[in-house]
């Protein structure tokens, strides 16, 4: 079974600074995808970034980038130039074709952005 | 990506009653999913709903408690039956597009 672990229940960052959220996962397969989702107080789940396991290049989306270390099964999210609107719960998730595209989520990291 | 909506956005229900949650996507999608998020917890998959077949339930979830319909490629419903306070959660539907999943805004359910 696939597992996703987020070891940081809470993180904080100063506005305009950079923060990195950690995620590790466990899989024995080669074909999978990794995601970071953001859940603000509105509770809407927003897809932040996606990484295909077969791609060596780290995904980036504007101020959001990942550090994908396949051998170490690590998938961290870096948020640059943090903004107050980045404050949210962040969930790391994995998806495997062999599991019919089901998402497996970590427990989440609550990010606070301080003005 | 397609737009996904859910109704109701929230509800307060009495124990022993049932609530049906609707999920609508503005384009045809093959795979739809229903998740539960208990207070302070992460998301747990309840079932996968594909049009034209029975829903596939995850361990710990049964059809009698969470019947699902998927009458076409844009719509699905989840019913929470014979509710108890332990069913108080946020229920979210999602659809798959490529290898990505996009979520509805969720239904916040409180059972008294």
């Amino acid at each position: 079974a696939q597992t996703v672990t987020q070891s940081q229940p809470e993180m904080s960052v100063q506005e305009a600074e950079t923060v990195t959220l950690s995620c590790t996962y466990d899989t024995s397969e080669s074909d999978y995808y990794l995601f970071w989702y953001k859940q603000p107080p509105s509770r809407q789940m927003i897809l932040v970034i996606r990484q295909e396991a077969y791609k060596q290049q780290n995904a980036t989306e504007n101020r959001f980038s990942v550090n994908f270390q396949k051998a170490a099964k690590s998938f961290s999210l870096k948020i640059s130039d943090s903004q107050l609107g980045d404050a949210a719960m962040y969930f790391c998730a994995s998806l495997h074709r062999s599991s019919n595209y089901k998402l497996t989520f970590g427990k989440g990291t609550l990010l606070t952005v301080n003005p | 990506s397609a737009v996904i909506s859910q109704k109701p956005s929230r509800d307060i229900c009495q124990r022993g009653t049932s609530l049906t949650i609707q999920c609508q996507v503005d384009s045809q999608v093959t795979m739809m999913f229903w998740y539960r998020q208990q207070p302070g917890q992460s998301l747990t998959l309840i079932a996968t709903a594909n049009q034209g077949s029975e829903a596939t339930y995850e361990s710990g979830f049964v059809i009698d408690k969470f019947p699902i319909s998927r009458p076409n490629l844009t719509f699905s419903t989840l019913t929470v039956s014979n509710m108890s306070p332990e069913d108080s959660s946020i229920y979210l539907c999602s659809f798959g597009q490529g290898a990505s999943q996009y979520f509805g805004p969720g239904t916040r359910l409180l059972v008294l």
Side-chain angles (χ1 to χ4, degrees), chain A residues 2-9 22-24 35-39 43-45 89-94 102-110, chain B residues 34-46 61 86-92 103 107:
Chain A
Q2 294 89 20
T3 60
V4 177
T5 302
Q6 293 178 251
S7 58
Q8 306 155 315
S22 300
C23 173
T24 58
F35 305 87
W36 280 97
Y37 282 89
K38 169 185 176 181
Q39 188 179 43
R43 310 309 274 176
Q44 172 87 53
M45 290 288 285
M89 183 70 85
Y90 286 82
F91 291 98
C92 179
S94 69
K102 296 183 297 188
L103 281 170
T104 300
F105 286 91
K107 292 185 181 297
T109 297
L110 180 62
Chain B
W34 287 97
Y35 291 82
R36 181 177 72 181
Q37 186 177 26
Q38 295 177 298
Q41 303 294 315
S42 185
L43 280 73
T44 301
L45 181 65
I46 297 172
F61 298 96
E86 292 71 33
D87 294 320
S88 297
S89 296
I90 297 172
Y91 292 86
L92 300 105
F103 285 82
T107 296

Side-chain angles (χ1 to χ4, degrees), chain A residues 24-37:
Chain A
T24 58
Y25 61 95
D26 190 21
T27 182
S28 58
E29 303 182 28
S30 59
D31 186 8
Y32 59 92
Y33 299 78
L34 299 167
F35 305 87
W36 280 97
Y37 282 89

Side-chain angles (χ1 to χ4, degrees), chain B:
Chain B
S1 64
V3 175
I4 181 169
S5 60
Q6 276 184 244
K7 289 194 295 187
S9 59
R10 59 178 62 223
D11 208 342
I12 301 173
C13 301
Q14 297 297 318
R15 71 170 65 210
T17 63
S18 298
L19 176 72
T20 295
I21 303 168
Q22 299 178 7
C23 182
Q24 179 79 51
V25 187
D26 70 351
S27 63
Q28 295 183 339
V29 296
T30 302
M31 305 184 79
M32 293 183 75
F33 306 86
W34 287 97
Y35 291 82
R36 181 177 72 181
Q37 186 177 26
Q38 295 177 298
Q41 303 294 315
S42 185
L43 280 73
T44 301
L45 181 65
I46 297 172
T48 302
N50 292 334
Q51 196 267 338
S53 63
E54 298 257 339
T56 303
Y57 289 83
E58 296 300 301
S59 175
F61 298 96
V62 296
I63 188 171
D64 289 347
K65 176 67 175 177
F66 297 102
I68 287 171
S69 77
R70 182 80 201 274
N72 56 52
L73 290 173
T74 64
F75 188 78
S76 179
T77 67
L78 169 77
T79 299
V80 186
S81 303
N82 188 26
M83 288 184 284
S84 67
E86 292 71 33
D87 294 320
S88 297
S89 296
I90 297 172
Y91 292 86
L92 300 105
C93 66
S94 71
F95 69 91
Q97 193 166 65
S100 294
Q101 273 190 41
Y102 299 92
F103 285 82
T107 296
R108 189 186 297 260
L109 172 62
L110 176 63
V111 183
L112 302 176

Side-chain angles (χ1 to χ4, degrees), chain A residues 19-102:
Chain A
V19 64
T20 298
L21 308 184
S22 300
C23 173
T24 58
Y25 61 95
D26 190 21
T27 182
S28 58
E29 303 182 28
S30 59
D31 186 8
Y32 59 92
Y33 299 78
L34 299 167
F35 305 87
W36 280 97
Y37 282 89
K38 169 185 176 181
Q39 188 179 43
S42 67
R43 310 309 274 176
Q44 172 87 53
M45 290 288 285
I46 301 166
L47 177 59
V48 175
I49 201 164
R50 177 181 105 169
Q51 175 79 44
E52 293 87 342
Y54 63 84
K55 288 188 177 179
Q56 291 188 338
Q57 186 172 5
N58 289 324
T60 62
E61 286 288 341
N62 301 314
R63 297 182 296 107
F64 298 88
S65 62
V66 299
N67 183 3
F68 175 45
Q69 300 290 325
K70 192 171 184 178
K73 295 180 181 174
S74 170
F75 182 62
S76 60
L77 175 69
K78 186 171 82 170
I79 306 174
S80 304
D81 185 25
S82 298
Q83 301 175 0
L84 295 177
D86 295 333
M89 183 70 85
Y90 286 82
F91 291 98
C92 179
S94 69
L95 181 149
H96 294 71
R97 289 184 195 275
S98 64
S99 301
N100 274 334
Y101 294 89
K102 296 183 297 188

